[in-house]
Amino acid sequence: QVHVVQSGPEVRKPGASVKVSCKGSGYTFYEYGYSWVRQAPGQGLEWMGWIGYYNGNTDYAQRFQGRVTITKDKSTNTAYMELRTLTSDDTAVYYCARTAAGKDLDFWGQGTLVTVSS
Amino acid sequence: QSVLTQPPSVSAAPGQKVTISCSGSSSNIGDNYVSWYQQVPGAAPKLLIYENNRRPSGIPDRFSGSKSGTSATLGITGLQTGDEADFFCGTWDSSLTAVVFGGGTKLTVL
């Protein structure tokens, strides 16, 4: 049974960084990519970037270029998303989603609420 | 402003059918597979349709997807009150090298 489990809620001050983790189980971790999607309160889905299967290549949405880094650790079946220089506009639920070859996000984590407040 | 365009809301009575449209361009829908996601309030999105018209295991055949040119459509038949949710279309954009989503459509089952 496939499970994608994310780390818990975070609170940060403006200007700080946050790193969210996403652990996969029940399947072969390295055969899939991992996307990060965020959802601000009452808003739609916003794709931030992904790390590919096998070679670990990354693509980032233009608006997050230079501010986000997505990595993965095959030894622990865990993917990570680090977002830097946080502002209040970054307050959102951040989702990790297993990503198949056709770029469909087939299993999603439960979401991690990141609150940025002074 | 989302890259893909969806109607903000649709509604229909229980037992009826509803369709949700998703409009894009040649660099996204026109060139790549379309997926559809269902999000119940307070929960994570769930994959409903992938590769334009395929259903993951466990998704009932009341849900269907189609694509034509630069547009895609999600169809839901035999509506149930439990189908009330937000629905998002998504695809890869070859020019942006990014996954793009529609703004979402809220389904109300009257």
Side-chain angles (χ1 to χ4, degrees), chain B residues 21-61:
Chain B
S21 61
C22 175
S23 177
S25 69
S26 59
S27 65
N28 43 65
I29 292 178
D31 197 34
N32 296 285
Y33 288 125
V34 176
S35 301
W36 288 91
Y37 305 90
Q38 178 187 41
Q39 186 178 34
V40 174
K46 178 176 76 172
L47 179 66
L48 268 187
I49 298 289
Y50 68 102
E51 294 182 2
N52 303 331
N53 56 18
R54 302 183 68 176
R55 284 177 285 106
S57 174
I59 300 300
D61 59 8

Side-chain angles (χ1 to χ4, degrees), chain B residues 33-91:
Chain B
Y33 288 125
V34 176
S35 301
W36 288 91
Y37 305 90
Q38 178 187 41
Q39 186 178 34
V40 174
K46 178 176 76 172
L47 179 66
L48 268 187
I49 298 289
Y50 68 102
E51 294 182 2
N52 303 331
N53 56 18
R54 302 183 68 176
R55 284 177 285 106
S57 174
I59 300 300
D61 59 8
R62 298 188 299 108
F63 296 90
S64 64
S66 64
K67 184 182 108 167
S68 177
T70 60
S71 293
T73 302
L74 173 69
I76 311 172
T77 60
L79 278 171
Q80 303 172 2
T81 55
D83 293 333
E84 288 198 333
D86 293 319
F87 294 84
F88 297 89
C89 56
T91 186

